[in-house]
Amino acid sequence: MAKASGFFTPSLRTKIQPSIGVSRSGFCLSEGIFKRVVCSSSIESAGTHVSSSQSRIPKLVNKGCKLVGCGSAVPSLSVSNDDLAKIVDTSDEWISVRTGIRNRRVISGKENLRNLAVEAAKKALKMANVEPDDLDLILLCTSTPEDIFGDAPKVQRELGCTKSQLAHDITAACSGFVLGLFSASCYIKGGGFRNVLVIGADVMSRFVDWTNRGTCILFGDAAGAVVLQACDAEEDGLLSFDLHSDGEGARHLGAPINDNENGSVLEFPPNRSSYACVQMNGKEVFRFAVRCVPQSIESALEKAGLTTSNIDWLLLHQANQRIIDAVATCLEFPPEKVISNLANYGNTSAASIPLALDEAVRSGKVKPGHAIAAAGFGAGLTWGSAVIRWG
């Protein structure tokens, strides 16, 4: 791939194709490869007619889905910029000017990722008036699980679910929540699911080098959750998506597994594995975000048949205030239409969008019927946008 600003071509739309999207009419790819799921009430094979009631293949239905509840949870320990200045060479002014962050929450004591995920989920279920056993699916978007094999089934257990609903993790770092919304939409619109819980949760404090002022100042721990519910197509609240990834940029942001300390892959048994702390090239990540995110949002708006004038709120992954401001300026969103709580929580990875959404809903800022352009971006590199309607 030809390089631009380190690793991206000037025109992503022409080089990275096809992008994946969902519009109100069904599932689609940007090049029109798969424009719509068309379903029949019967299946014909070898001249034999089999009714849908006789077939074991579930009938795909053209349904809509809407957001009906949200919740969030943060650790009790608040770490200020002044606190960080006691352990690394930095200051409140240095951090706030460069990032917009003043405080972040960090797990302590018996707090962990599952505690936060369960608390956020319970709040979302309560708002949605949905019981745990009414859920058909739980998606936990996280890159920092308590168990390497995933935490979603354990969250299911701690919520008190008794019907063995499907529960699984999604790993896509700071883009995870947007991919969770997309997956939930697919399960509902194409799989006949009724209620889906999507949780974004990360405890980045466990993977931060607290002696590196370039990264430790950025991250915090949190969880956010939403409940999506099936509805008639005309009430659809998940209007479109635009999703991408490009491993060419992975070298600029990641937490790779540490190399074998013995220096030889032939030695047996292998050493116990561990992961490095977060490694980030801040300048390249900034360039990536301010180029790719506006294009992705514009693409999602186009798929939804909308423009920025139809959008009530811009809600971006809370990574850095400079990125948020640059994207908003590029898309001509006025500051009063941009949702940001970065100053209080820092970058909470997959939790940042649902955490900010929950605060905006509960404060009365986001009201039923409001249209939101949301975008996540981060390690992978992955990035994606969603045009959604609240309530």
Side-chain angles (χ1 to χ4, degrees):
M1 177 183 291
K3 304 296 189 296
S5 295
F7 52 98
F8 283 101
T9 56
S11 177
L12 286 169
R13 289 186 183 177
T14 59
K15 296 299 289 183
I16 302 176
Q17 293 290 346
S19 63
I20 300 174
V22 168
S23 66
R24 276 177 277 193
S25 62
F27 299 91
C28 67
L29 295 174
S30 63
E31 289 296 311
I33 298 171
F34 188 20
K35 283 294 186 185
R36 184 169 181 163
V37 175
V38 180
C39 310
S40 172
S41 60
S42 63
I43 300 172
E44 294 184 9
S45 178
T48 302
H49 183 275
V50 182
S51 69
S52 59
S53 62
Q54 292 173 308
S55 171
R56 293 188 180 183
I57 300 175
K59 181 176 69 173
L60 297 177
V61 290
N62 186 18
K63 298 285 290 184
C65 59
K66 57 185 179 181
L67 294 157
V68 295
C70 59
S72 61
V74 296
S76 58
L77 177 62
S78 178
V79 178
S80 69
N81 292 345
D82 289 331
D83 293 328
L84 289 180
K86 297 174 183 178
I87 61 174
V88 292
D89 181 18
T90 190
S91 67
D92 175 64
E93 181 183 7
W94 192 91
I95 297 171
S96 59
V97 167
R98 287 164 176 78
T99 69
I101 301 168
R102 293 191 176 277
N103 295 282
R104 72 280 299 145
R105 298 296 184 95
V106 176
I107 59 170
S108 60
K110 295 184 178 180
E111 293 174 329
N112 58 40
L113 178 120
R114 285 200 296 271
N115 297 155
L116 297 175
V118 169
E119 182 181 346
K122 287 180 176 179
K123 292 177 180 177
L125 290 169
K126 183 177 181 180
M127 180 184 289
N129 196 26
V130 171
E131 295 296 323
D133 271 342
D134 291 331
L135 292 171
D136 301 302
L137 172 68
I138 298 171
L139 299 173
L140 177 58
C141 309
T142 185
S143 298
T144 56
E146 301 292 321
D147 187 325
I148 194 173
F149 295 120
D151 275 330
K154 298 179 181 67
V155 170
Q156 175 210 53
R157 178 195 63 199
E158 293 183 27
L159 286 174
C161 301
T162 63
K163 294 185 177 180
S164 301
Q165 304 98 318
L166 176 62
H168 66 83
D169 287 22
I170 293 177
T171 302
C174 303
S175 303
F177 183 74
V178 173
L179 269 67
L181 290 180
F182 175 74
S183 298
S185 175
C186 291
Y187 277 107
I188 291 173
K189 295 180 179 180
F193 284 44
R194 177 69 183 170
N195 294 302
V196 177
L197 174 66
V198 181
I199 307 167
D202 271 306
V203 287
M204 296 299 297
S205 61
R206 289 178 171 172
F207 295 90
V208 165
D209 179 356
W210 290 99
T211 66
N212 181 349
R213 75 169 185 172
T215 54
C216 75
I217 64 173
L218 300 174
F219 297 99
D221 305 333
V226 296
V227 176
L228 284 77
Q229 194 167 77
C231 63
D232 293 334
E234 57 268 21
E235 298 176 348
D236 190 16
L238 273 71
L239 308 182
S240 65
F241 292 87
D242 181 75
L243 308 172
H244 298 274
S245 63
D246 189 347
E248 182 70 18
R251 66 187 184 276
H252 296 300
L253 178 57
I257 199 166
N258 287 317
D259 292 334
N260 190 319
E261 294 180 1
N262 288 333
S264 172
V265 297
L266 299 178
E267 294 190 16
F268 183 85
N271 286 342
R272 183 177 178 179
S273 297
S274 62
Y275 287 91
C277 293
V278 174
Q279 301 171 5
M280 182 177 69
N281 183 329
K283 290 183 179 179
E284 292 298 337
V285 171
F286 179 88
R287 291 172 181 170
F288 145 67
V290 299
R291 173 179 291 113
C292 298
V293 174
Q295 291 183 353
S296 179
I297 292 173
E298 288 178 339
S299 179
L301 288 170
E302 183 179 351
K303 292 171 186 176
L306 302 174
T307 66
T308 54
S309 64
N310 304 121
I311 300 301
D312 297 292
W313 301 103
L314 178 66
L315 174 54
L316 303 179
H317 164 53
Q318 307 287 291
N320 182 302
Q321 193 61 45
R322 287 181 173 179
I323 292 175
I324 295 172
D325 292 343
V327 173
T329 299
C330 181
L331 295 172
E332 298 183 349
F333 272 96
E336 62 269 19
K337 294 179 67 175
V338 179
I339 297 173
S340 176
N341 65 356
L342 177 70
N344 297 324
Y345 302 109
N347 180 344
T348 56
S349 192
S352 74
I353 293 176
L355 172 62
L357 175 64
D358 183 52
E359 287 196 341
V361 169
R362 293 180 185 274
S363 69
K365 180 180 289 187
V366 172
K367 302 181 186 300
H370 278 185
I372 303 169
F377 50 92
L381 293 167
T382 60
W383 66 102
S385 300
V387 178
I388 61 179
R389 181 183 295 115
W390 173 255

